[in-house]
Amino acid sequence: MRLLVCDNYDEMSRRAAETLADRVTQKPDCVLGLATGSTPLGAYERLVTMVREGRLDLSRVTTVNLDEYRGLGEESDRSYVSFMRTHLFDGAGIPKEHTHFPDGTDPDSDHACRVYEEVLASVGRQDLQLLGLGRNGHIGFNEPGDAFIPGVHLVDLASSTIEANKRFFASEAEVPRQAYTMGMRAILAAKEILLIASGVDKADAVKAAFRGPVTPQVPASVLQLHPDVTVVVDQEAYSKCM
Ligand code: GLP
């Protein structure tokens, strides 16, 4: 695992965008695993700018997103599918039919999980999986627990996750209590993983995940077992590792 410490959020975002752009330039029809949350926004903005300036073509990539809230779909501007369209896909010219999410609106949760597992299998391994990091060490919505869960699954969100994500909703009461997430098998199947984390809020999680033991209590610690992981953090997120 490589750990790269940047001065600040902007530098972290620039490095993440450059890595993504480089992999797409090398393989224009690559499979990108993508993440939501505030952390990747700076990188996505840079990718959109590169596309607008004609320096990058993302029109042939296939994307698989990590997760989606149960009950939300493209008709909701709080869903992750809407988030990705707003912040990346529309501006970067990634066709809708190249993008994939768990179906948060499927009333049958077992079916939703099965279908997304099949989608992941048909798309194939991600050439690059981008990850953020939850304050409690989650990746995607793989929350701390007694075991790493391999497959796509429905998650009861941790109260700290609901608290952290309420800023995207009108109130905490509106944050869905459940979500679908890619499991650890598909995350670890990625050929290359790039995890980004910024801010002092993430410092405990960065330390626990990358300086502590591999444990399902800190889901991101499983990345220590992957052969090609780059962790890009800013000084604040790294501050407890020193
Ligand atoms: C969310 C997402 C994760 C994301 C994490 C951190 O709940 N499900 O994929 O990485 O929490 O979010 P943020 O980047 O906003 O801190």
Side-chain angles (χ1 to χ4, degrees):
M1 184 175 68
R2 288 169 296 277
L3 180 77
L4 192 70
V5 185
C6 299
D7 284 343
N8 51 39
Y9 178 79
D10 274 352
E11 192 191 338
M12 180 206 74
S13 301
R14 181 176 59 75
R15 286 184 180 268
E18 281 172 0
T19 301
L20 284 154
D22 176 71
R23 302 309 183 265
V24 176
T25 301
Q26 287 179 34
K27 187 179 176 189
D29 61 348
C30 67
V31 177
L32 297 178
L34 296 176
T36 51
S38 306
T39 313
L41 286 176
Y44 291 162
E45 201 181 312
R46 280 172 168 74
L47 291 174
V48 170
T49 301
M50 288 183 211
V51 169
R52 291 217 170 111
E53 292 176 351
R55 293 185 282 132
L56 180 68
D57 179 4
L58 289 175
S59 65
R60 292 174 58 201
V61 302
T62 295
T63 70
V64 285
N65 259 80
L66 285 165
D67 42 22
E68 180 60 278
Y69 288 112
R70 186 180 195 189
L72 302 189
E74 58 187 359
E75 74 300 331
S76 164
D77 60 2
R78 303 291 134 196
S79 65
Y80 281 167
V81 58
S82 297
F83 177 99
M84 291 302 300
R85 285 192 190 145
T86 303
H87 295 291
L88 183 66
F89 299 157
D90 292 349
I94 301 177
K96 183 178 166 181
E97 59 276 17
H98 291 195
T99 67
H100 304 89
F101 293 80
D103 180 1
T105 66
D106 189 334
D108 177 346
S109 59
D110 289 341
H111 181 256
C113 294
R114 215 166 44 242
V115 168
Y116 200 51
E117 202 67 75
E118 286 165 12
V119 166
L120 296 173
S122 71
V123 162
R125 293 170 67 195
Q126 309 90 308
D127 291 286
L128 177 66
Q129 174 68 55
L130 179 66
L131 295 173
L133 181 65
R135 292 176 200 181
N136 61 2
H138 73 220
I139 47 177
F141 270 133
N142 288 273
E143 296 281 33
D146 295 335
F148 294 114
I149 302 179
V152 175
H153 57 285
L154 180 66
V155 182
D156 291 326
L157 297 177
S159 50
S160 63
T161 301
I162 293 167
E163 165 71 23
N165 289 1
K166 71 179 184 195
R167 67 191 192 281
F168 294 111
F169 294 82
S171 70
E172 183 173 326
E174 282 186 24
V175 186
R177 268 37 187 175
Q178 292 183 308
Y180 296 103
T181 186
M182 196 186 281
M184 291 304 193
R185 179 175 53 230
I187 291 175
L188 293 173
K191 295 173 194 164
E192 180 182 359
I193 294 177
L194 172 63
L195 182 140
I196 53 177
S198 162
V200 74
D201 283 359
K202 303 293 173 73
D204 285 323
V206 168
K207 183 178 179 196
F210 306 117
R211 293 284 193 258
V214 176
T215 165
Q217 296 298 334
V218 184
S221 66
V222 79
L223 301 175
Q224 295 179 36
L225 305 176
H226 190 282
D228 191 354
V229 176
T230 305
V231 176
V232 183
V233 297
D234 64 9
Q235 294 279 2
E236 287 189 6
Y238 186 67
S239 57
K240 296 203 173 159
C241 292
M242 294 183 288

